Amino acid sequence: MRIVVSFILLLSVAFSVSARQKVYDFNTRCEQAYDAIMQLRLDAGKSLLEEEKKEHPDNLMPYFLEDYADFFPLFFNEDASEYSRKRSLRSFRLEKMSEGSADSPYYLYTQAAIKFHWALVKVKFNEKWDATWEIRKAYMMLKENQRRFPNFIPNKLLLGTMQTVFGTIPEGYKWITNILGLKGSIKEGMENVNAFVESNAPEAKLFREESYYFYCYLMLFVVNKPEDTWQFLNRKQLDTKNNYLFALMVANLALNNQKAAVGLKVLQERNTSEDYADIQYYNYVYGLLKLTRLDPDAHVYLERFVNNFKGKFYVKECLQRLSWYYYLEGNQAAANKYRELIFKRGGTETDADKQALKEAESGKWPNPFLLRVRLLSDGGYFNEALKLLLTKKAADFAGIEEKLEYAYRLGRIYDETGQDDKAIQMYDVTVKVGANRPEYYAARASLQMGYIFEKRNEKAKAIQCYQRCLDMRGHDYKNSLDARAKAGIQRVNGI
């Protein structure tokens, strides 16, 4: 009889445990874990999540936050073996999230965010079709969650990010997004992102750190408001010393916005404790930043990246920069060695990687004088670049390609130093001479003129320049320049 009673009691306990409602409790420990993960102190964050699982086994939030801890190294390091080991966790975590109450706004949100994370990871591993469907599912879930819980502010962050990016898709590809139901608008998307960033809602405070990440990248690369981006960063006073993710973000933004000095300072002053994840992307960014300053040790970090990185993104570009480094040093054997590796290593997913391969295939080397000017200009060392450039005239260069680059570089330096009329003059020459050539100079010059006219509120001229950029065919960096031109047209038209 005692055995029967014990068995019944055991069953009742098991039933009560299984019937107990799972919850999405973003409690203090989960907040601490999230903060640690967003700083890339991944082990510390995961340790806190394990404690939370043991103390509150019905809390689903630790499983959601663990997805962030896996996302960052997979996204940055692109280790195929690690991806193979961890990819099953996606389904496991989605199932865990579905155990909560459908009446919670976190029910759909957490599942959408997990799908969003894995879509970005799958892009890195060339699973583009799967990534597209992941994005579609995430987008539809967020739209539904927004309908059901219109006051749940985290919806606006991810939804707005997707809408903004979808808004840059060229017209020729709109039929794909229309079929998939992915409708985008830069204006609507950024309104949603801004609503989240400026919100004082408790949920907005929880996800504040990642919102800054999305906001800055969208503002710089899509909305094209670099001044606003840097003002935002200065206003928020992000802790780039102790937050490794913020340090990488600001350094990358600096690299892409002619502010190498800022990026170098941030990376040099960051906390180098072993508590932080090993991210090879650091060596790539740091090496490129140092190369723009023509530092003699730039190759150390670029070589570290190509020797230790296990992925395919940025590799050809990095090898190209290494070949440039040794070329400028006069070490042609080493320059040739790294150029040859471009054919064997890395992928061509990014425009920079494609351009690196194209240059290697051409067998030609850049003019060393113009290459130094380009690197200094790319880093924002405009005075040094201009002094160097003004020691020459266009007539000093033999080939049309070098004359074209001379005009373009001079235009960019005038542009970046606020001499707009001189910039327009040099850009106009670049466009007239290079519109039908394979180099990117004419397309980028037209884009930059569009920016100047947009800033002056000369809308018709701005649109004309952006459209001219879109109309140019067969040049380097076509995809990225088209995306920026398309975004410019939408901004001017208020779409």
Side-chain angles (χ1 to χ4, degrees), residues 20-202:
R20 193 183 302 159
Q21 181 67 64
K22 303 287 186 178
V23 296
Y24 305 96
D25 184 11
F26 212 139
N27 56 31
T28 301
R29 184 186 284 133
C30 286
E31 286 186 46
Q32 293 170 347
Y34 172 79
D35 288 342
I37 292 168
M38 292 303 294
Q39 293 170 12
L40 297 182
R41 293 189 299 112
L42 304 183
D43 289 341
K46 287 189 283 190
S47 178
L48 286 166
L49 295 177
E50 287 302 317
E51 291 178 20
E52 179 63 18
K53 287 180 188 177
K54 291 175 183 176
E55 189 169 334
H56 301 116
D58 296 323
N59 188 5
L60 296 172
M61 201 54 72
Y63 299 96
F64 172 58
L65 297 179
E66 275 182 335
D67 205 64
Y68 285 85
D70 285 335
F71 166 75
F72 287 118
L74 285 172
F75 182 78
F76 283 120
N77 292 338
E78 299 177 40
D79 187 335
S81 60
E82 186 177 4
Y83 179 53
S84 180
R85 289 194 305 272
K86 291 187 173 180
R87 63 185 305 165
S88 62
L89 291 172
R90 169 195 167 277
S91 299
F92 168 74
R93 287 172 186 150
L94 287 172
E95 289 175 6
K96 294 296 291 184
M97 293 307 103
S98 67
E99 292 176 9
S101 171
D103 292 329
S104 168
Y106 281 108
Y107 177 80
L108 286 176
Y109 181 80
T110 54
Q111 293 180 64
I114 289 171
K115 288 178 183 294
F116 182 71
H117 292 166
W118 286 92
L120 297 179
V121 169
K122 286 178 178 183
V123 167
K124 288 298 189 85
F125 291 96
N126 202 31
E127 298 178 13
K128 297 175 187 174
W129 186 245
D130 284 350
T132 301
W133 280 104
E134 288 276 40
I135 285 289
R136 182 184 185 278
K137 291 172 185 174
Y139 179 76
M140 294 304 180
M141 281 183 164
L142 288 167
K143 291 284 283 184
E144 175 62 16
N145 211 39
Q146 180 74 356
R147 186 189 67 79
R148 294 182 59 195
F149 304 99
N151 296 322
F152 185 65
I153 196 69
N155 288 329
K156 292 185 179 292
L157 177 60
L158 283 188
L159 196 59
T161 298
M162 292 184 195
Q163 289 168 330
T164 304
V165 173
F166 297 157
T168 67
I169 294 171
E171 290 299 328
Y173 294 92
K174 278 291 186 182
W175 63 272
I176 299 176
T177 54
N178 289 338
I179 290 174
L180 296 174
L182 306 176
K183 296 182 179 180
S185 160
I186 295 173
K187 182 180 179 181
E188 182 181 356
M190 286 309 299
E191 283 176 353
N192 277 325
V193 173
N194 279 313
F196 181 94
V197 169
E198 300 302 326
S199 173
N200 290 318

